[in-house]
Amino acid sequence: MWASSRRGESVFRGLTTGSGVLVVASIALIGLFLLIQAIPSLLANQANFFTSTEFSTGDPDNLRFGILDLLVVTLKTSILALVIAMPIALGVALFLTQYAPKRVARPFAYVIDLLAAVPSIVYGLWGILVLAPVILPVNQWLVDNLGWFPLFSQGNLPVGVRGTIFTGGVILAVMILPIITAVAREVFAQTPRFHIEAAKALGATRWEVITMAVLPYGRSGYIAGSMLGLGRALGETIAILLVISASTGMQTLSLFDGGYTFASLIASAASEFSQPLPTGAYISAGLVLFVLTFVVNALARVVAGGKVNG
Amino acid sequence: MAKRIDLKDVDIYYGAFHAVQSVNLTVAPRSVTAFIGPSGCGKSTVLRTLNRMHEEIPGARVDGQILLDGENIYDRSADAVAVRRTIGMVFQMPNPFPTMSIRDNVVAGLRLQGVKDKKKLDEVAEASLRGANLWNEVKDRLDKPGGGISGGQQQRLCIARAIAVQPDVLLMDEPCSALDPISTLAIEDLIADLKKEYTIVIVTHNMQQAARVSDQTGFFNLEATGKPGHLVEIDDTEKIFSNPTEQATEDYISGRFG
Ligand SMILES: Nc1ncnc2c1ncn2[C@@H]1O[C@H](COP(=O)(O)OP(=O)(O)OP(=O)(O)O)[C@@H](O)[C@H]1O
Ligand SMILES: [Mg+2]
């Protein structure tokens, strides 16, 4: 009897260890695959991969590609998205867990979760067709009035072009809002009742209960959720491809530049993938994105201290 | 400072459930009153109406009057948050704010009242920790998190936090039930000290403890599950434990002791 239960245990342990190893191995294999495909192109590259802003792969004998602009555009859109989404998600999560009565909180939370179910292509279409025209006057106002501030200076797109990094960032913010909100809501709702009672018994108002008990408890989870959102924003492809206009100009600090992120550039070049050397160039870019997302997710996990498995 | 408490025809409900029925009692200032009785008879419920924590539960409600030196804390003009600022509460499970430093834990209530002066806060922190018999154990690590000390120390930290605002009343719900005998004795000694300045109401399942620390003991009981609990009698502790008026009290006490 003892032996059999132990066999059950070892089967279970074998299964879990096996699937764990499988996951890690496939991640490593994906990385390895990317690396093997990328190396010939990287060797053939005539420009500096990390500092060049060019990305010309038309002539396989004269490959010139670098990731600087891609990195800049990717970071600008993603960080803008985070800056917009984080406070909103915090507010929504606090409202849902601390203020709203249950019968309001349920449907509201459901709607927010639904945002995550909308396909990216729909966000892209909505972004360029509906949101961009609405945002354009805001763009213009910021350029006219706060143009001295580098982030708001006239970008590398002609005046009146709608698909800027700014627009892309706003779309991304909507797209990552659900995950940040969901994680934050989860951790805030788990604040131990006795911490909340401790604050209330001292005569804390609702807001003071939040600052004394809820936020200290949920802070790391909220940050981890934000990083998961950031990971999503970094890799978002189709919405960004549709929304942000291409631009031949230099990347500046401005949010009103156009351009490509890692993901949108790779997607836009899908037709070139018949030739190995140009393909390798895009794969190199993909590899950088892979590492970037990986690092962000790892950071999320470290911050969360194992609280989140998203 | 220490105030007198009067309960007049207090009925307590959780939604439709009538949890406690017509309680009448008086607690003198600078005295310790113990509530005893079987589990589920409503001791905690009564205690939590004394600082208006009860109404935090959705649907919970209180009828009747609870007077603090003659002022009804359930008066329409009385704000629950303001009431709680003058009434300290210590819970069964020690509940310091775990990431807040020991010092900040102690003065958390004062901060809520808007005290900002660092010197004053430090003074109060020391005085309260001394008052809670904890100063010597933590004076070298006031900046360490409140969650990082032993359970007994945490409970004394919670007492320090409660007395830092110099409350009119101090409520304790089984404050020793999660503690070892030595920490329990430390807290009982502390209660004996604190009663010189505060009005204290304590819930306990430990009848020796009630006998040791209290001046007055109230026995709660309930006829059957689902029926409301009620106060059977309240009298001098000595009388309750030696010669109670009600047979039910006698049975309960002798059952436990015998
Ligand atoms: N949050 C609540 N919602 C509904 N009913 C409750 C709630 N808390 C307590 N009750 C009910 O109120 C009655 C009194 O409970 P209370 O916690 O006051 O008992 P107690 O005397 O403190 O018991 P114990 O000695 O076990 O702590 C019980 O029937 C209990 O089930
Ligand atoms: Mg109780």
Side-chain angles (χ1 to χ4, degrees), chain A residues 6 8 10 77 102 132 147 166 170 174-175 214 261 303 309:
Chain A
R6 217 185 273 165
S10 65
T77 47
K102 274 223 167 56
F166 187 76
V170 173
V174 179
M175 296 177 74
V214 178
T261 65
V303 174
N309 325 289

Side-chain angles (χ1 to χ4, degrees), chain B residues 20 100 130 140 193 195 204:
Chain B
V20 180
M100 227 184 243
R130 283 188 192 283
D140 301 321
D193 270 355
K195 101 175 171 188
T204 176

Side-chain angles (χ1 to χ4, degrees), chain B residues 22 54 71 85 106 110 178 213 215-216 219 222-223 237 248 258:
Chain B
S22 46
H54 176 67
E71 304 239 18
R85 290 189 179 184
V106 178
L110 279 186
V213 302
D215 304 301
Q216 174 184 240
F219 171 57
L222 79 175
E223 268 138 38
T237 297

Side-chain angles (χ1 to χ4, degrees), chain A residues 162-248:
Chain A
R162 306 188 298 206
T164 61
I165 285 174
F166 187 76
T167 320
V170 173
I171 286 286
L172 282 182
V174 179
M175 296 177 74
I176 65 175
L177 189 65
I179 181 155
I180 306 180
T181 310
V183 174
R185 193 158 48 95
E186 197 73 21
V187 288
F188 293 160
Q190 281 171 9
T191 312
R193 204 170 86 109
F194 56 93
H195 291 171
I196 293 181
E197 292 208 317
K200 279 186 178 160
L202 283 174
T205 60
R206 273 196 195 194
W207 173 246
E208 288 160 344
V209 171
I210 289 173
T211 58
M212 291 171 91
V214 178
L215 288 182
Y217 179 79
R219 216 194 64 200
S220 62
Y222 165 63
I223 293 175
S226 304
M227 294 213 172
L228 290 177
L230 177 61
R232 232 203 115 182
L234 291 171
E236 175 49 39
T237 307
I238 197 69
I240 290 297
L241 183 62
L242 285 185
V243 168
I244 303 184
S245 307
S247 167
T248 47

Side-chain angles (χ1 to χ4, degrees), chain B:
Chain B
M1 284 275 45
K3 288 192 176 163
R4 163 195 162 103
I5 312 169
D6 292 286
L7 274 70
K8 295 195 172 153
D9 297 323
V10 172
D11 280 276
I12 311 172
Y13 302 84
Y14 291 99
F17 175 56
H18 192 175
V20 180
Q21 197 175 26
S22 46
V23 177
N24 285 283
L25 61 83
T26 294
V27 176
R30 295 189 191 78
S31 74
V32 178
T33 296
F35 289 167
I36 59 171
S39 184
C41 64
K43 307 176 296 292
S44 300
T45 301
V46 171
L47 196 73
R48 291 166 59 90
T49 57
L50 300 183
N51 66 343
R52 295 190 59 171
M53 281 294 278
H54 176 67
E55 67 204 52
E56 289 297 322
I57 293 156
R61 179 164 71 80
V62 181
D63 279 354
Q65 289 189 312
I66 297 181
L67 308 174
L68 215 59
D69 268 4
E71 304 239 18
N72 189 357
I73 62 169
Y74 283 91
D75 193 80
R76 212 170 285 151
S77 64
D79 176 30
V81 166
V83 167
R84 288 181 208 137
R85 290 189 179 184
T86 67
I87 299 180
M89 184 162 216
V90 177
F91 295 80
Q92 180 169 0
M93 289 297 292
N95 58 357
F97 300 111
T99 53
M100 227 184 243
S101 73
I102 291 174
R103 180 194 286 111
D104 288 346
N105 257 289
V106 178
V107 297
L110 279 186
R111 286 236 167 85
L112 288 179
Q113 299 183 359
V115 179
K116 296 218 173 62
D117 179 11
K118 172 117 182 19
K119 197 159 147 271
K120 162 105 202 225
L121 290 174
D122 284 350
E123 279 169 19
V124 173
E126 175 168 352
S128 311
L129 285 168
R130 283 188 192 283
N133 266 327
L134 187 60
W135 175 252
N136 285 327
E137 289 157 73
V138 300
K139 62 172 187 268
D140 301 321
R141 43 179 170 156
L142 293 174
D143 295 316
K144 294 273 157 34
I149 50 181
S150 80
Q153 290 172 331
Q154 288 186 18
Q155 193 62 306
R156 277 177 285 151
L157 176 58
C158 291
I159 294 175
R161 180 174 69 187
I163 60 178
V165 295
Q166 304 208 301
D168 299 333
V169 175
L170 192 56
L171 308 173
M172 302 178 158
D173 193 351
E174 302 185 45
C176 303
S177 65
L179 304 183
D180 69 293
I182 304 227
S183 306
T184 299
L185 278 184
I187 289 185
E188 287 181 9
D189 287 347
L190 180 54
I191 292 171
D193 270 355
L194 290 174
K195 101 175 171 188
K196 291 175 199 141
E197 285 181 73
Y198 300 101
T199 307
I200 299 174
V201 182
I202 177 172
V203 171
T204 176
H205 271 290
N206 177 332
M207 273 178 288
Q208 287 97 325
Q209 181 170 70
R212 280 193 298 262
V213 302
S214 71
D215 304 301
Q216 174 184 240
T217 298
F219 171 57
F220 286 82
N221 203 354
L222 79 175
E223 268 138 38
T225 38
K227 288 268 176 61
H230 61 280
L231 178 62
V232 176
E233 66 177 308
I234 183 161
D235 213 326
D236 287 350
T237 297
E238 227 164 278
K239 175 139 192 308
I240 291 280
F241 283 100
S242 58
N243 180 23
T245 313
E246 300 291 328
Q247 186 61 37
T249 316
E250 173 89 54
D251 291 347
Y252 184 72
I253 287 165
S254 56
R256 286 301 170 98
F257 278 147

